[in-house]
Amino acid sequence: MSNPRHRYQDEAGYILHTSAWRETSLICHAFTRNHGLVPMVAKGAKRPHSILRPALSVFQPLLLAWSGKNEVKTLTRADCAGIRPLKGRALMSAWYMNELLIRLLPREDPHPVLFDAYEEALVHLAQIPRPPVAGALRRFEWVLLTETGYGFDEATPDFNDPVSEPELRIRLRERLNSLLGRPLHTRSVLMQLQRY
């Protein structure tokens, strides 16, 4: 939705990835419920006493504020809205989801259903004792493809069925591979982890 002042406050979102920009700042890719994928610069976030620095953790629910009408917005505030402790394989699965979002979503195209699926997957991955991650990943991949217009013309499968999961995984990966054009970095790590 359009905002004539180009200022947004208290928007639910997650930081998907950060990278250094200049001496003290970060470029952040945020996934927000109402605005989709939004690239932002967090000015001064690398400074030790920055108020932004502690909040810019990946996989943690945030309330974000930003401004600007250029392609890259200016992040003005990031408040923690919860904690999602992820470890081991669950952490790698979450990185995999982040990479899919960054690679497949156009900028500033809202997908609230996909946002909810991402959040649900993170909640599932953070549960202790940790359940198998396959069902959460298959559900997320299915919703991602459906919401971006590349889904399957069939009924939603049972993502927790261990018998059908291998075939479903193959079909989803084939569809994702055809869209991505080049392999995901996290997928190769996940494949290596499956050998252990």
Side-chain angles (χ1 to χ4, degrees):
M1 64 187 78
S2 171
N3 181 333
R5 296 179 300 135
H6 304 289
R7 292 181 181 275
Y8 301 90
Q9 299 289 328
D10 297 325
E11 295 286 346
Y14 289 85
I15 299 297
L16 300 180
H17 182 264
T18 62
S19 55
W21 186 68
R22 298 192 176 169
E23 288 185 21
T24 61
S25 301
L26 295 171
I27 294 290
C28 307
H29 285 87
F31 181 43
T32 67
R33 190 173 203 283
N34 296 320
H35 304 279
L37 187 64
V38 183
M40 305 178 187
V41 60
K43 293 181 179 176
K46 288 166 59 179
R47 290 188 177 123
H49 301 293
S50 167
I51 59 171
L52 289 174
R53 185 177 183 164
L56 296 182
S57 298
V58 291
F59 316 126
Q60 306 309 315
L62 301 170
L63 290 176
L64 300 170
W66 69 88
S67 63
K69 54 186 177 179
N70 296 328
E71 189 174 338
V72 178
K73 315 302 182 197
T74 299
L75 182 65
T76 56
R77 201 180 81 245
D79 296 324
C80 183
I83 300 293
R84 299 272 154 68
L86 299 175
K87 297 178 182 176
R89 191 167 175 194
L91 188 60
M92 286 307 304
S93 297
W95 277 116
Y96 167 72
M97 294 192 308
N98 283 10
E99 191 174 359
L100 282 176
L101 290 171
I102 290 170
R103 293 271 302 276
L104 290 177
L105 288 185
R107 292 179 175 184
E108 297 188 60
D109 185 19
H111 288 281
V113 172
L114 179 57
F115 182 89
D116 292 345
Y118 176 78
E119 193 161 55
E120 182 182 330
L122 288 179
V123 168
H124 182 85
L125 293 172
Q127 288 177 358
I128 299 173
R130 195 157 285 111
V133 300
L137 286 180
R138 299 300 82 79
R139 180 179 289 108
F140 173 77
E141 291 166 331
W142 182 275
V143 174
L144 173 63
L145 288 168
T146 301
E147 285 295 304
T148 53
Y150 298 102
F152 297 95
D153 188 20
E154 59 189 68
T156 304
D158 178 359
F159 300 108
N160 295 315
D161 178 9
V163 175
S164 62
E165 192 278 334
E167 181 186 340
L168 178 61
R169 179 179 64 235
I170 291 168
R171 291 177 60 219
L172 289 167
R173 296 288 164 81
E174 285 175 351
R175 181 69 57 96
L176 288 166
N177 284 341
S178 70
L179 296 172
L180 291 167
R182 61 184 167 87
L184 294 170
H185 299 294
T186 49
R187 181 173 298 153
S188 61
V189 175
L190 282 172
M191 295 303 288
Q192 291 173 10
L193 286 173
Q194 288 179 351
R195 296 181 190 148
Y196 296 99

